[in-house]
Amino acid sequence: MALHGLSSVTIGVPDVGSTAAYYTDFGLTPHGDGWLSSTDGGNQLRLVPRERRQLVEMVIRAENTDDLARIAASLTRLGIPVDLDGDDLVAVEPVVGTRAVVRVLPPLVQDQAPRAAYNGPGRLERRGRRADGVLRAGPVRPTRLGHAVLGTTNLEASKAFFVEGLGFKVSDSISDKGVFMRWSTEHHNVLVLAAPVNFLHHTSWQVADVDEIGRGATRMLEDHPERHIWGLGRHHAGSNFFWYLKDPAGNFSEYFADMDCDIDDALWKPEVFEGKQGLYNWGPPPPPSFLHPDDLAELMIGSHAGR
Ligand SMILES: [Fe+2]
């Protein structure tokens, strides 16, 4: 079974207009029909109106209909209803309620981006000129969607849906609080985190390198310092550089670069990280609102009210 990563996410938000404006500032291209695109991945983010912010749907790439049949059998064994129709398999994640669509789609192939030259001790890749990172003037444009992160009130059931049901592989874990899972050879495409309420923690978007993360976040914060959540830093699990920002609905969006890739299922050894390592390798300490977003209490009230 060839695993091809996420194709798109649909996020429900109370105010589609202001949220679309935010993701346009973030570097995605709006198309006026609720969809926004990345440069390499095409339409990868759809915004739809919902009273409470949430991940409504994720579309996952599969290689062929045989994959869908296998997944349908696995989900059925878990007692999860499956709707299999042609090139689409649809199942609802049983805890968070996100609709997972596994669709037969070609893999996303990215052209090789030119590598920025970096000088180091005894290693001069760039002589007599300023760094690419300080000369770049254009807007930062995410190249593709990387992963989505869900807070779940039942970590084991959410993990079972993705791993035993859909066939995701576990890459690493954060003690008994989180599971990084891949549906590709990239370190993670979905992370589920134990939480007091079901919610969308963040979506993550690839940019070319660490300079693009810095340039993108700096621009996002220029007139909106309230968008800052956490960065710049480097995660331990997945190794990626990161900077997290917050959209007007309260969802976080992450710029990432240099994620662990080309993971070989036979060689990769998943680890269980405790404490700080589960969160990051270096960077400023995460603010309390990173793991417990400010609107969690509000979301809990909303979920109890059935919204
Ligand atoms: Fe992330």
Side-chain angles (χ1 to χ4, degrees), residues 140-158:
V140 170
R141 299 269 183 228
T143 47
R144 66 171 169 84
L145 173 66
H147 58 270
V149 177
L150 292 167
T152 170
T153 55
N154 187 337
L155 186 67
E156 282 310 309
S158 291

Side-chain angles (χ1 to χ4, degrees), residues 18-284:
S18 65
T19 311
Y22 168 93
Y23 285 100
T24 305
D25 286 354
F26 189 72
L28 301 178
T29 303
H31 297 284
D33 55 358
W35 280 101
L36 295 98
S37 59
S38 63
T39 59
D40 294 350
N43 283 349
Q44 295 208 287
L45 171 63
R46 182 172 49 157
L47 298 171
V48 296
R50 288 289 188 281
E51 202 168 331
R52 182 170 58 93
R53 68 183 185 88
Q54 58 195 274
L55 185 62
V56 173
E57 180 182 281
M58 59 170 75
V59 178
I60 300 163
R61 297 170 200 270
E63 187 173 32
N64 55 47
T65 50
D66 290 349
D67 292 341
L68 302 191
R70 268 193 297 272
I71 292 167
S74 303
L75 287 167
T76 301
R77 273 198 296 278
L78 290 178
I80 293 170
V82 180
D83 186 2
L84 185 53
D85 183 11
D87 284 350
D88 271 11
L89 178 152
V90 181
V92 176
E93 196 277 352
V95 186
V96 182
T98 296
R99 202 152 59 112
V101 180
V102 186
R103 181 167 295 160
V104 177
L105 287 168
L108 173 59
V109 179
Q110 295 183 281
D111 291 335
Q112 188 174 334
R115 187 180 187 284
Y118 281 84
N119 286 338
R123 195 193 71 244
L124 301 185
E125 296 178 353
R126 188 185 77 250
R127 295 168 185 267
R129 60 182 177 87
R130 300 183 203 281
D132 298 357
V134 305
L135 294 177
R136 293 173 189 162
V140 170
R141 299 269 183 228
T143 47
R144 66 171 169 84
L145 173 66
H147 58 270
V149 177
L150 292 167
T152 170
T153 55
N154 187 337
L155 186 67
E156 282 310 309
S158 291
K159 176 185 171 186
F161 174 79
F162 287 105
V163 175
E164 293 164 39
L166 298 184
F168 277 62
K169 306 272 192 251
V170 173
S171 290
D172 284 312
S173 302
I174 307 171
S175 59
D176 57 353
K177 294 189 171 56
V179 186
F180 295 90
M181 298 169 292
R182 64 184 184 278
W183 179 266
S184 67
T185 58
E186 187 168 61
H187 182 273
H188 55 283
N189 303 110
V190 170
L191 162 62
V192 286
L193 291 170
V197 64
N198 300 310
F199 73 106
L200 171 60
H201 187 274
H202 70 267
T203 58
S204 190
W205 300 84
Q206 184 191 55
V207 293
D209 54 29
V210 67
D211 277 305
E212 291 302 90
I213 295 180
R215 287 193 334 107
T218 300
R219 192 164 296 190
M220 287 293 283
L221 297 174
E222 257 165 25
D223 299 320
H224 293 278
E226 77 283 359
R227 288 172 168 172
H228 176 72
I229 293 295
W230 186 29
L232 171 74
R234 190 161 185 137
H235 284 303
H236 192 85
S239 304
N240 57 297
F241 295 107
F242 66 81
W243 199 319
Y244 292 89
L245 302 152
K246 184 168 73 172
D247 78 18
N251 308 295
F252 301 160
S253 64
E254 175 188 19
Y255 288 122
F256 80 88
D258 196 27
M259 176 79 79
D260 293 340
C261 276
D262 201 18
I263 288 179
D264 183 329
D265 293 348
L267 300 176
W268 181 261
K269 301 225 179 327
E271 290 186 62
V272 178
F273 298 116
E274 304 287 340
K276 171 178 175 282
Q277 239 181 6
L279 276 172
Y280 69 128
N281 186 285
W282 60 256

